[in-house]
């Protein structure tokens, strides 16, 4: 009986020993001082230390420095009091790699109830921790994305409804009979500002949607860089003057350099950066220009405005991201200007970056690839002028929308022009055949029977030098180039500004026109 009991005890001991040796968790036994007396093979696999390397050494050789002294004091107080300790430890392997372990440390008592050893069982949970952290990060990112989108959608509603409220509200007030001429003029100015704000907002949303969908095409052509840049700057100057901001231009180009790229996209980027510089500056200086690098042209816009916080600087080019989402922000706008700029710069194959300091100002730089800028000795050719000179020019208005036609009719009448109304492209072509005295065609693009593009191509067959100006609501990036390639001499996006229209008429009709 004693032999059988001893044999069974040995079998149990062997099973226990094999279980520990073959276990997929780390098992270690230390003395009461924490000096290692035994480790199983998985301990070696996990930590990289062999039993010979750790025998007699303290467990602190695995410390990573992540946990505090108070953490380890609580661990030792627990096990020395005879209780089990459960927790997670960040330890360091022999090769320096860190790993997380779910640990149980249990005191071992002798027959007299005195602690003689400690048993440490550790399970590698590094991948599990990583997965949990990734899930938490993904959740936080999704929540942040939802928050940003909610704020963005609220901003969309605000930026559309606010100017629309001004347009509709002031339009009703204009009906009143008791308004003075000065009051009406002031109201009309408010309506115009609200209309421009609404139009810019809608265009920003359209541009962003086209960038995201990948539907913007790049149309590269050669253009003179300096006059192109100066034209953009001059459009910004009145806004700077109204805020007492000095606008300084620094173009490192004493020659007539040309750039082979998409001037329309570059103009959009510069407009967004200059608009932001004016918007976020109360006064001070805005400096802009360009400089040539090895294989690119770098454009820059610097201001002495309020600046951008360091923790926001890395995300300002991201879609749906603005520095200030609060309801108390003191500036208007869609908040898409920098996102659009980043998307357009990427399309051009360049890079965009920013440096800023709160209270000091910001600087935005973007590059456009330009392997070898060309130098031109002559000024670019002037626009094709109409050979017809008349004291009262005849203009064709190709337009199927009554409100648009009425507006153009009023402007042309006040300017001293005669006009013919073509309600579709086919009628426009027929007028140009029947009336050789026609001096100019204002061609809407989207019309019934025959489109403006098709009508332009037909007219070009028999009137190759007749000025044809596209007047259209197609104002997306690339549309202007498409109309020029179809045969149009110029491009007037709707809504049409009266001053722009008069300048165009004055140019092509060779006569001073009334405003």
């Amino acid at each position: 009986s004693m032999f059988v009991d001893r044999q069974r005890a040995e079998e149990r001991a062997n099973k226990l020993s094999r279980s520990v040796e073959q276990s997929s968790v780390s098992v270690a036994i230390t003395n009461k001082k924490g000096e290692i007396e035994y480790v199983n093979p998985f301990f070696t696999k996990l930590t990289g230390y062999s039993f010979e390397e750790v025998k007699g050494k303290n467990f602190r050789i695995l410390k990573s420095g992540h946990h505090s002294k108070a953490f380890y004091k609580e661990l030792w107080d627990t096990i020395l009091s005879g209780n089990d300790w459960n927790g997670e430890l960040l330890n360091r392997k022999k090769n320096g790699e860190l790993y997380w372990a779910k640990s149980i440390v249990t005191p071992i008592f002798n027959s007299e109830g005195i602690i003689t050893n400690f048993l440490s069982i550790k399970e590698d949970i590094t991948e599990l921790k990583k997965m949990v952290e990734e899930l938490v990060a993904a959740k936080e990112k999704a929540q942040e994305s939802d928050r940003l989108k909610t704020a963005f959608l609220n901003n969309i509603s605000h930026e559309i409804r606010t100017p629309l409220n001004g347009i509709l509200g002031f339009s009703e007030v204009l009906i009143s009979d008791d308004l003075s001429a000065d009051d009406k003029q002031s109201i009309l100015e408010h309506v115009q500002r609200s209309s421009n704000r609404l139009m810019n907002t809608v265009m920003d949303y359209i541009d962003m949607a086209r960038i995201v969908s990948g539907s913007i095409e790049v149309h590269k052509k050669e253009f003179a860089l300096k006059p192109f840049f100066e034209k953009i700057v001059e459009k910004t100057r009145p806004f700077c003057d109204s805020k007492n901001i000095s606008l300084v231009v620094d173009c490192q180009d004493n020659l007539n350099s040309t750039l082979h790229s998409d001037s329309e996209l570059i103009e959009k980027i510069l407009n967004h950066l200059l608009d932001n510089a004016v918007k976020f500056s109360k006064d001070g200086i805005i400096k802009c220009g360009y400089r040539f690098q090895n294989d690119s042209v770098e454009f820059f816009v610097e201001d002495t405005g309020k600046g951008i916080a360091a923790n926001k600087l890395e995300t300002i080019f991201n879609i749906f991201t603005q520095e200030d989402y609060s309801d108390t922000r003191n500036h208007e706008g869609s908040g898409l200007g920098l996102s659009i700029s980043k998307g357009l710069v990427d399309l051009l194959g360049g890079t965009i970056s920013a440096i800023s300091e709160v209270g000091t100002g910001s600087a935005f730089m973007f590059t456009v690839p330009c392997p070898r800028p060309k130098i031109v000795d002559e000024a670019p050719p002037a626009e094709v002028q109409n050979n017809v000179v008349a004291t009262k020019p005849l203009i064709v208005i190709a337009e199927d929308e009554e409100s648009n036609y009425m507006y153009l009719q009023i402007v042309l009448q006040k300017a001293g022009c005669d006009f013919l109304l073509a309600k579709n492209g086919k009628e426009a072509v027929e007028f140009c055949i029947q009336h050789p005295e026609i001096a100019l065609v204002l061609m809407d693009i989207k019309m019934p029977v025959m489109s403006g593009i098709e009508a332009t191509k037909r007219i070009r067959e028999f009137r190759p030098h007749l000025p044809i100006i596209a007047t259209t609501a197609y104002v997306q990036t690339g549309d202007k180039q498409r109309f020029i390639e179809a045969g149009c001499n110029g491009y007037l996006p709707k809504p049409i500004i009266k001053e722009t229209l008069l300048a165009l008429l004055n140019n092509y009709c060779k006569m001073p026109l009334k405003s």
Side-chain angles (χ1 to χ4, degrees):
S1 177
M2 291 175 62
F3 175 78
V4 171
D5 289 342
R6 183 183 302 164
Q7 188 176 26
R8 288 175 177 174
E10 289 177 354
E11 289 177 356
R12 286 195 298 269
N14 288 335
K15 286 180 181 180
L16 179 60
S17 175
R18 287 196 300 270
S19 297
V20 172
E21 291 287 318
Q22 299 172 16
S23 175
S24 60
V25 296
S26 169
V27 178
I29 298 175
T30 72
N31 60 21
K32 194 174 180 180
K33 296 179 180 179
E35 296 167 343
I36 298 173
E37 295 182 351
Y38 167 83
V39 295
N40 71 339
F42 192 81
F43 174 93
T44 299
K45 182 179 179 181
L46 177 61
T47 67
Y49 289 105
S50 66
F51 175 54
E52 289 74 17
E53 290 176 305
V54 298
K55 184 179 180 181
K57 294 185 178 180
N58 194 284
F59 244 107
R60 67 173 62 95
I61 64 171
L62 301 179
K63 288 177 68 174
S64 64
H66 174 76
H67 303 287
S68 65
K69 291 182 179 180
F71 175 88
Y72 289 107
K73 183 178 184 302
E74 187 271 334
L75 186 159
W76 278 102
D77 288 345
T78 301
I79 59 178
L80 288 173
S81 64
N83 296 312
D84 293 347
W85 181 89
N86 292 272
E88 295 179 356
L89 287 165
L90 181 63
N91 286 338
R92 188 182 301 276
K93 299 181 180 181
K94 180 180 178 181
N95 62 7
E97 182 182 343
L98 299 177
Y99 69 97
W100 280 97
K102 184 178 182 181
S103 304
I104 300 175
V105 183
T106 301
I108 299 174
F109 301 89
N110 62 13
S111 58
E112 298 177 357
I114 298 174
I115 297 175
T116 58
N117 299 88
F118 294 108
L119 172 65
S120 172
I121 302 174
K122 295 181 180 180
E123 179 185 3
D124 185 7
I125 59 169
T126 305
E127 291 301 318
L128 178 62
K129 289 277 289 186
K130 183 178 179 182
M131 182 176 67
V132 171
E133 289 173 358
E134 288 175 350
L135 288 173
V136 171
K139 179 184 177 182
E140 291 175 350
K141 185 176 181 180
Q143 291 174 338
E144 175 68 5
S145 178
D146 287 342
R147 186 182 72 84
L148 294 177
K149 288 178 181 178
T150 299
F152 181 75
L153 291 173
N154 288 339
N155 190 48
I156 287 180
S157 178
H158 176 270
E159 288 301 317
I160 290 179
R161 289 178 176 272
T162 299
L164 189 59
N165 179 69
I167 294 169
L168 296 177
F170 282 122
S171 297
E172 290 183 1
V173 174
L174 280 173
I175 302 174
S176 303
D177 297 328
D178 56 347
L179 287 176
S180 65
D182 290 341
D183 289 338
K184 287 184 179 180
Q185 180 62 34
S186 177
I187 290 173
L188 286 172
E189 290 174 358
H190 280 292
V191 171
Q192 188 175 38
R193 283 196 297 269
S194 296
S195 300
N196 290 336
R197 178 178 174 182
L198 180 60
M199 180 179 64
N200 292 335
T201 297
V202 172
M203 284 307 305
D204 282 352
Y205 297 144
I206 292 175
D207 282 345
M208 194 70 251
R210 296 189 69 209
I211 289 172
V212 172
S213 65
S215 60
I216 293 182
E217 297 180 357
V218 178
H219 300 278
K220 293 185 177 181
K221 63 180 181 180
E222 205 83 18
F223 62 94
L225 189 52
K226 194 168 185 178
F228 160 79
F229 190 85
E230 289 174 347
K231 182 180 178 182
I232 295 172
V233 171
E234 288 309 309
K235 290 192 297 184
T236 304
R237 197 174 295 281
F239 300 101
C240 292
D241 293 341
S242 66
K243 298 183 70 173
N244 196 29
I245 298 172
S246 298
L247 183 58
V248 179
V249 180
D250 179 17
C251 297
Q252 298 180 4
D253 182 16
N254 296 322
L255 302 172
N256 295 321
S257 303
T258 65
L259 179 62
H260 184 73
S261 190
D262 193 319
S263 59
E264 187 178 355
L265 298 188
I266 296 174
E267 182 175 358
K268 276 183 174 288
I269 299 166
L270 286 170
N271 283 337
H272 281 300
L273 297 183
L274 287 167
D275 287 346
N276 278 353
V278 175
K279 183 188 300 182
F280 296 110
S281 299
K282 292 183 178 180
D283 49 27
I285 299 173
I286 292 176
K287 184 178 179 181
C288 61
Y290 59 87
R291 56 179 72 94
F292 292 101
Q293 298 180 336
N294 292 333
D295 57 354
S296 64
V297 177
E298 182 184 65
F299 296 89
F300 62 89
V301 176
E302 303 172 359
D303 64 67
T304 55
K306 72 185 193 72
I308 303 169
N311 63 333
K312 300 288 186 180
L313 198 57
E314 294 181 358
T315 62
I316 55 175
F317 293 107
N318 297 343
I319 187 172
F320 302 130
T321 301
Q322 298 180 60
E323 186 189 14
D324 184 5
Y325 287 102
S326 67
D327 294 334
T328 58
R329 67 177 191 171
N330 58 4
H331 60 272
E332 63 184 47
S334 66
L336 287 176
L338 293 179
S339 301
I340 293 172
S341 298
K342 173 70 164 59
L344 297 181
V345 169
D346 289 344
L347 284 173
L348 293 171
T351 60
I352 187 168
S353 60
I355 56 176
S356 185
E357 184 177 342
V358 175
T360 301
S362 306
F364 289 84
M365 298 75 65
F366 71 95
T367 61
V368 175
C370 177
R372 291 181 299 276
K374 294 182 180 180
I375 308 300
V376 294
D377 297 327
E378 300 178 357
E383 295 185 50
V384 176
Q385 297 290 322
N386 182 25
N387 293 325
V388 178
V389 180
T391 56
K392 199 172 184 182
L394 180 61
I395 312 296
V396 173
I397 304 174
E399 177 62 66
D400 64 318
E401 288 287 343
E402 183 179 0
S403 60
N404 292 334
Y405 161 69
M406 290 178 63
Y407 169 72
L408 293 173
Q409 176 187 16
I410 293 171
V411 174
L412 292 180
Q413 282 179 337
K414 293 185 68 176
C417 298
D418 286 333
F419 54 88
L420 297 170
L421 172 62
K423 294 186 177 180
N424 56 64
K426 186 173 181 292
E427 288 186 6
V429 175
E430 292 173 350
F431 281 148
C432 291
I433 295 174
Q434 299 166 3
H435 299 274
E437 71 275 18
I438 289 174
L440 180 71
V441 179
L442 299 176
M443 182 72 75
D444 185 24
I445 299 300
K446 187 178 183 299
M447 290 187 294
V449 183
M450 183 185 293
S451 72
I453 287 181
E454 182 61 28
T456 298
K457 293 178 180 179
R458 296 280 185 90
I459 294 171
R460 281 284 168 257
E461 294 174 1
F462 58 89
R463 295 287 298 274
H465 301 299
L466 175 63
I468 302 175
I469 307 301
T471 59
T472 176
Y474 290 118
V475 292
Q476 297 178 6
T477 304
D479 283 338
K480 179 180 179 179
Q481 183 65 25
R482 182 162 60 95
F483 303 144
I484 298 299
E485 291 173 354
C488 293
N489 300 93
Y491 169 77
L492 277 180
K494 295 177 180 176
I496 296 172
I497 307 302
K498 183 181 72 171
E499 289 74 15
T500 306
L501 175 58
L502 289 175
L504 183 144
L505 293 173
N506 195 15
N507 179 43
Y508 283 103
C509 296
K510 295 183 178 180
M511 60 171 290
L513 298 172
K514 307 170 185 177
S515 59

